Amino acid sequence: MSTVAVIGSESLLGREIRDIVATTGVPIDLRLIADTDEQPGILTRVGDEPAIITRLNAEGLSGSRAVFLAGSAESSRKALKLLDGSDEIAIIDLTGAAEERPEARLRAPMVEKEEGDLEGATHVIAHPAAIALALFLRRLHAQHPVCASVIQILAPASEHGAAGVEELQQQTVSLLSFKSLPKAIFDAQLSFSLLPRYGEEAPTKLEDAELRIERHLATLLALPGEGQDVPMPSLRLIQASVFHGYSIGAWVEFESNPGVDTLENSLGSDFINVHSNEVEPPTNVGQAGQSGIAVGLIEPDRNRPEACWFWLVADNLRLTAENAVAVARQLV
């Protein structure tokens, strides 16, 4: 059984990888590596088996077939430096830290038709919102040709890891207690609010994430296979005051509107769960821990006869980790 190291094994993404490997029988042996701010030597578990979190150094990485980058930006940079010049250990990056490397390949096995050359590559997992939209738009376009689409994406705090979740939780408690708000991540009040942009002192910009989703989606829509070359949508990203899971509103105009019943019957696939209008629409809370995406609330646009509205949800951590584990499965 091949060994795959998980750097940032206690992060939200690291824990998701551990859960998927433990519950789906993926034939890999996980080696848990501490993030730079974590203490090595901690006893934890992978499924029902005990495991020790080891130190992030060359010795800890040696002998691995691949490495998941699932921790902080600092730990990813340190790991990449340790792995420079090594062709024996593949990199599976869930954080985007390796995206600018010349050999980096954007990966989303749920969307891909062909694996291509897996040797010697740095595998950057596509943004979860881009994966969700590629699954939806490609499937839709293959069945009913799309002319245009407009997408509104509501992002969760967990896209910033545990720090984002904790800041949203602390802001909520502070507001209800009439205390000052922590703003290290968003530099703005996110609790009970929607943010079209972060504050000026935020360490990252929301518009950068929006551009990254757009870049990744353009690449995924151009891949060979079902629904190839669907027209690129217009999209906007909004930071929502939710802890977990993407919610996406999509307006789609067809060459010929097939109608709600036909759309409900034809849109489903291995990775798309369709909720008919006879049941409750999907929610980000209900999708937590679920594979792929859920689509529902399909309704015609009352003012544009060739267009329909759709509601999509996806577990951002699960979607990213599932595609990362699928890459690891291909490598081993």
Side-chain angles (χ1 to χ4, degrees):
M1 185 178 292
S2 297
T3 297
V4 179
V6 185
I7 297 174
S9 61
E10 292 295 302
S11 71
L12 298 182
L13 283 170
R15 291 177 182 180
E16 202 72 33
I17 290 171
R18 289 161 56 181
D19 180 64
I20 292 171
V21 170
T23 58
T24 60
V26 180
I28 60 177
D29 178 29
L30 290 182
R31 179 183 298 167
L32 307 185
I33 307 290
D35 207 331
T36 49
D37 59 352
E38 296 172 356
Q39 290 296 322
I42 296 174
L43 179 65
T44 184
R45 305 187 75 85
V46 177
D48 296 328
E49 298 297 323
I52 295 289
I53 299 177
T54 61
R55 190 178 302 277
L56 174 54
N57 54 28
E59 182 181 356
L61 298 177
S62 66
S64 300
R65 174 65 185 88
V67 171
F68 290 116
L69 301 184
S72 65
E74 183 182 355
S75 68
S76 294
R77 287 193 295 269
K78 182 176 180 179
L80 290 171
K81 187 174 181 179
L82 290 170
L83 292 169
D84 267 345
S86 173
D87 294 327
E88 298 179 356
I89 303 177
I91 297 168
I92 306 173
D93 177 21
L94 293 77
T95 67
E99 193 167 343
E100 300 302 320
R101 292 166 73 95
E103 75 279 11
R105 294 181 53 214
L106 189 70
R107 298 300 311 278
M110 284 185 178
V111 182
E112 299 164 5
K113 181 181 178 182
E114 303 172 354
E115 293 180 6
D117 182 14
L118 300 176
E119 295 301 321
T122 297
H123 306 266
V124 177
I125 306 303
H127 192 287
I131 296 173
L133 288 172
L135 287 169
F136 168 68
L137 289 172
R138 289 177 66 106
R139 177 68 176 172
L140 198 61
H141 188 60
Q143 305 291 323
H144 314 287
V146 170
C147 291
S149 58
V150 179
I151 310 292
Q152 188 84 57
I153 306 169
L154 300 177
S158 59
E159 276 298 279
H160 295 272
V165 172
E166 290 168 5
E167 182 161 297
L168 175 55
Q169 186 267 338
Q170 291 167 5
Q171 282 194 1
T172 303
V173 172
S174 296
L175 277 170
L176 296 176
S177 305
F178 303 100
K179 297 179 180 178
S180 59
L181 304 183
K183 296 181 179 180
I185 303 299
F186 304 106
D187 191 38
Q189 179 187 324
L190 176 59
S191 182
F192 301 104
S193 183
L194 296 170
L195 299 178
R197 290 289 183 269
Y198 299 149
E200 292 184 359
E201 300 301 318
T204 61
K205 295 182 179 180
L206 190 63
E207 50 266 45
D208 289 344
E210 182 179 271
L211 289 171
R212 184 168 182 253
I213 293 171
E214 197 169 69
R215 289 197 311 271
H216 289 190
L217 180 57
T219 299
L220 297 181
L221 293 182
L223 291 175
E226 179 186 64
Q228 181 183 10
D229 293 331
V230 58
M232 185 68 187
S234 300
L235 60 84
R236 293 302 303 271
L237 179 65
I238 300 295
Q239 180 65 57
S241 55
V242 298
F243 291 105
H244 190 64
Y246 274 96
S247 300
I248 301 172
W251 177 90
V252 180
E253 186 175 39
F254 300 95
E255 292 180 7
S256 178
N257 193 336
V260 171
D261 290 343
T262 300
L263 288 167
E264 287 181 348
N265 292 328
S266 62
L267 187 55
S269 72
D270 290 343
F271 301 116
I272 302 177
N273 179 27
V274 179
H275 291 225
S276 74
N277 286 335
E278 297 176 357
V279 300
E280 291 293 323
T283 66
N284 60 312
V285 174
Q287 187 65 12
Q290 303 300 309
S291 178
I293 66 173
V295 180
L297 210 62
I298 304 173
E299 297 179 329
D301 185 333
R302 291 181 293 272
N303 300 306
R304 295 289 288 268
E306 299 304 327
C308 281
W309 291 96
F310 299 81
W311 182 248
L312 291 69
V313 295
D315 180 333
N316 52 309
L317 302 177
R318 174 64 56 148
L319 199 58
T320 302
E322 279 186 319
N323 281 272
V325 172
V327 172
R329 187 192 293 268
Q330 293 169 358
L331 290 169
V332 303

